[in-house]
Every structure is written in structure tokens, then in C-alpha cells.
Amino acid sequence: MEKILVFGGTFNPLSIAHGDLFLYAKNYLKASKGILLPTGDRFIKCWKHYSSNDVIDSKIRLEILEKFVSLHSNIYLNLDEYNQITYKTYDTLKRIYMSNQNSEIYFLLGNEKISEIFKWYKIDDLLTEFHFLFIKRKKEKVKLDDQTSNLILKHKSHIHFLDYNNKYLDVSSSLIRKAIIEKNIELLEKYTYNFEIEILKKEGLL
């Protein structure tokens, strides 16, 4: 059965770590398709409580993702959450599955998220119908309560871990946003893509 890797996030903005990790995980799974799943402004501002000044315009974020996708084969964008068609991971993955019913869906996320997944909407259904691939960073330790530990044990066949210890480990979108504000091109050249810098310049952010 073919595998599809789905990577969701704010991508505020895309970092070279996002791209490298996504491609690394796709190659690890030997997935036939990779899907980037950007969230919309509503999630960033209402759920993550970012101020407007700390959010890259959604059209710019999308333009950067579109360029990234255009440079790689079998990588696609899904805009269900960006366009506010769905808000919950379960609903979004269900829609993706309905168009790919002969595939297994793997959802990629950071290892730090594992301590909060028991709070997710329809988490039992999520872990029954789909796979979660958690990225383990070097020396990262996550404490789990009994509820989460039992959940992992119950769905252990659908929960997977992948070590990721490369040079982009400490790159973050917040660091990139700071570099944009400070117009630190040298730092941006290390932590973003050349096409991303050109888009930021075109849009007047640099």
C-alpha cells in the first residue's frame, strides 16, 4: 500500500528546517506523495495567539510554499485549513483520505506534541485511521502522563518515531521573523531558501 506524508503547520514563514525535515521524512517512509498543510490566519491569531505584527501575511506565506512545491516532484499543497474548509486535523485527514483511499496517511509532527495529543479532537479515531510520525530531536526528552502513555500503548502500531539530528536542528520560524525585521540577509541565507529571500524582497519585507 502506498504512503502519503502530511505535514501541517503555520509555516510563518517556511524555514529550511521545515523543508529538509519534510523531505527527509518522506524519503524515510518511501512515501509516494507529500502534502504540505498550511493553516490560515484564524488559527495563528486565535489559537496560537500571535499578534498581527508577528504574522507574515498569509498570501506571502502561501507564495513561498507554492514555490517550494514547484521545485519538488510529488509534493503538493492542501489548502483546506488555509481556506477554512476544515479546522480539525481529523476532518482534514479524512478529506485527504477520501481522495487517496488506497493509501496509508502519515501525519508528521514534532515530538513535543506527543504530550498534548490526548486533547485532540477525535484522537482515538485519528490514531485508529491514520498514522502519526513523531520527529525526535537530539537529546529531546518529553515527559508523558499516564493518560498519554496509555493512549500510545493502545495505538502503538500507528505511532512511529524518527530521529532527526542535522545542522538545521535549531532553526525556527521565530528566528527567521526576527531576521526579517532586522533585515539580516546573512542569517536568512543560512536559514531560508534563496527563492524565499527573493519573494520577501519583492513583497517589500526586506
Side-chain angles (χ1 to χ4, degrees):
M1 184 175 288
E2 293 187 340
K3 298 174 182 177
I4 295 175
L5 179 66
V6 180
F7 187 22
T10 58
F11 305 112
N12 182 36
L14 179 75
S15 71
I16 202 167
H18 285 133
D20 184 78
L21 171 59
F22 182 49
L23 296 174
Y24 176 73
K26 181 176 179 291
N27 181 64
Y28 167 80
L29 287 176
K30 296 181 172 58
S32 60
K33 183 188 297 185
I35 297 175
L36 288 174
L37 180 68
T39 57
D41 283 351
R42 180 179 181 270
F43 174 83
I44 298 176
K45 294 176 181 177
C46 297
W47 288 91
K48 300 204 77 170
H49 306 294
Y50 281 24
S51 68
S52 296
N53 294 332
D54 204 27
V55 178
I56 304 296
D57 184 270
S58 59
K59 292 181 180 178
I60 298 175
R61 284 186 278 120
L62 183 58
E63 184 178 358
I64 292 169
L65 292 175
E66 288 173 337
K67 182 63 177 179
F68 177 83
V69 165
S70 74
L71 296 173
H72 300 278
S73 60
N74 300 317
I75 301 291
Y76 305 90
L77 275 177
N78 179 293
L79 301 182
D80 282 357
E81 294 187 3
Y82 178 87
N83 290 327
Q84 301 183 32
I85 296 171
T86 56
Y87 298 101
K88 303 290 188 181
T89 300
Y90 177 80
D91 296 333
T92 305
L93 295 185
K94 195 72 172 178
R95 284 173 60 88
I96 292 173
Y97 174 74
M98 294 306 294
S99 300
N100 302 274
Q101 294 190 34
N102 293 320
S103 299
E104 291 181 314
I105 309 296
Y106 284 73
F107 190 64
L108 179 68
L109 63 169
N111 198 45
E112 73 280 357
K113 297 292 184 182
I114 199 169
S115 62
E116 60 186 55
I117 60 171
F118 72 91
K119 302 176 185 176
W120 287 28
Y121 172 70
K122 289 191 174 182
I123 186 57
D124 269 306
D125 291 331
L126 265 171
L127 291 173
T128 298
E129 299 176 38
F130 309 107
H131 294 261
F132 274 27
L133 178 60
F134 290 97
I135 298 302
K136 295 175 64 177
R137 298 175 181 88
K138 187 177 181 180
K139 297 181 181 179
E140 182 180 54
K141 294 183 180 180
V142 179
K143 293 183 179 180
L144 302 178
D145 58 20
D146 290 341
Q147 188 173 8
T148 305
S149 297
N150 290 335
L151 184 68
I152 293 171
L153 183 62
K154 178 180 178 182
H155 296 285
K156 61 182 180 180
S157 65
H158 277 218
I159 293 178
H160 316 272
F161 297 91
L162 175 61
D163 289 326
Y164 177 73
N165 301 315
N166 78 356
K167 62 183 179 180
Y168 302 124
L169 198 63
D170 296 324
V171 178
S172 68
S173 290
S174 58
L175 184 65
I176 294 171
R177 292 194 301 273
K178 185 174 184 291
I180 292 172
I181 293 171
E182 297 174 351
K183 302 189 185 307
N184 188 335
I185 302 297
E186 182 179 354
L187 191 62
L188 290 172
E189 287 176 342
K190 286 179 61 178
Y191 295 152
T192 64
Y193 296 96
N194 289 334
F195 69 79
E196 189 167 354
I197 295 173
E198 293 307 310
I199 291 172
L200 294 170
K201 285 180 178 179
K202 176 175 66 72
E203 297 296 340
L205 295 183
L206 292 176

